[in-house]
């Protein structure tokens, strides 16, 4: 059987989003891998790191942040990561991407603010993530959401059912999210 490969599986890369391959140095003691490098020149200057465990069939998101950039890396298990570009002036405006990331082939995805994002775990998984603004600063006023299953998103998720948080189950459609954003901008 071939080893699983972390990669973009559908859609196209969004402007500013980058998949960084992570090479593990192996020896008889185990392995050593750099999971973030400032030298990558990615979009994110992290100020908070988190590790997150997820049970099978959990979907987290979809979330949108207008002020901070993100980093995501699957360490164990498998994740489908969906993105949709909501930036008004982006060359990839309204385009979407679907990545498949595996703990066995670690790779880090970095992407800028203004991109709607969600992660679906078909199996028990562990991932790390980083943000360029701390949750205690953005959680109250820059944590927008959209329901993952809205067909207008066009993201070809591999599943039709997912375990959600109560708030994510009640997220608006993409159209509803756009209306919320426009109300907030007008306020
Ligand atoms: C994001 C965050 C959450 N929390 C606490 C708050 C709740 O008690 C609990 C779960 O939070 P929430 O349900 O908001 O997290 P998710 O909906 O799973 O959101 C996750 O997935 C989507 C796609 C994302 O973009 C978020 O950044 C990511 O964390 O952890 C913290 O203590 N710190 C944090 O940075």
């Amino acid at each position: 059987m071939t080893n699983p490969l972390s990669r973009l599986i559908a859609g196209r890369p969004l402007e500013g989003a980058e998949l960084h391959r992570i090479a593990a140095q192996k020896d008889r003691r185990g392995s050593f891998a750099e999971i973030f490098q400032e030298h990558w020149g990615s979009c994110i200057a992290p100020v908070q790191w988190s590790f997150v465990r997820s049970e099978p069939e959990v979907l987290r998101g979809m979330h949108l942040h207008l002020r901070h950039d993100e980093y995501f890396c699957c360490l164990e298990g498998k994740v489908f990561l969906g993105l949709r570009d909501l930036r008004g002036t982006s060359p990839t405006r309204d385009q979407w991407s679907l990545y498949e990331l595996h703990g066995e082939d670690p790779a880090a995805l970095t992407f800028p603010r203004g991109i709607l994002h969600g992660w679906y775990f078909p199996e028990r998984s562990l991932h790390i993530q980083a943000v360029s603004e701390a949750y205690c600063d953005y959680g109250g006023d820059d944590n927008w959401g959209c329901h993952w299953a809205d067909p207008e998103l066009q993201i070809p998720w591999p599943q039709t059912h997912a375990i959600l948080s109560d708030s994510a189950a009640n997220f608006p459609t993409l159209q509803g999210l756009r209306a919320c954003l426009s109300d907030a901008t007008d306020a």
Side-chain angles (χ1 to χ4, degrees):
M1 222 168 88
T2 53
N3 288 334
L5 187 66
S6 294
R7 64 199 167 102
L8 178 73
I9 55 169
R12 54 168 295 180
L14 303 183
E15 179 78 6
E18 292 175 338
L19 190 63
H20 310 269
R21 307 225 74 87
I22 294 175
Q25 309 303 325
K26 294 183 181 167
D27 60 30
R28 67 180 190 280
R29 299 166 300 172
S31 64
F32 193 110
E34 297 178 357
I35 55 163
F36 179 80
Q37 257 297 354
E38 202 176 343
H39 292 299
W40 291 345
S42 70
C43 63
I44 181 171
V47 298
Q48 177 192 311
W49 290 88
S50 309
F51 77 87
V52 186
R53 294 186 195 283
S54 299
E55 296 298 324
E57 298 188 11
V58 163
L59 188 141
R60 297 179 181 271
M62 301 190 64
H63 283 271
L64 173 75
H65 317 288
L66 302 180
R67 295 197 302 259
H68 75 252
D69 315 311
E70 296 212 20
Y71 164 105
F72 182 105
C73 182
C74 180
L75 297 181
E76 289 174 7
K78 174 177 175 179
V79 57
F80 291 92
L81 201 152
L83 303 178
R84 167 88 186 217
D85 193 347
L86 298 189
R87 296 168 295 178
T89 57
S90 168
T92 51
R93 177 182 180 175
D94 288 330
Q95 302 288 311
W96 54 268
S97 314
L98 184 65
Y99 291 84
E100 182 179 307
L101 303 183
H102 296 265
E104 289 172 63
D105 179 33
L109 185 73
T110 54
F111 59 90
R113 60 199 73 183
I115 293 181
L116 184 65
H117 51 279
W119 4 107
Y120 171 71
F121 304 90
E123 59 191 66
R124 184 166 295 151
S125 300
L126 171 67
H127 79 268
I128 50 173
Q129 61 183 68
V131 280
S132 64
E133 182 182 20
Y135 181 65
C136 57
D137 296 323
Y138 80 78
D141 67 343
D142 188 28
N143 204 14
W144 307 91
C146 172
H147 198 281
W148 69 276
D150 181 2
E152 206 195 321
L153 289 174
Q154 297 179 305
I155 297 171
W157 294 105
Q159 84 288 0
T160 53
H161 159 82
I163 299 169
L164 304 172
S165 68
D166 290 345
S167 58
N170 291 304
F171 278 163
T173 59
L174 181 56
Q175 205 178 354
L177 169 61
R178 289 193 202 277
C180 296
L181 291 169
S182 131
D183 288 352
T185 313
D186 291 346

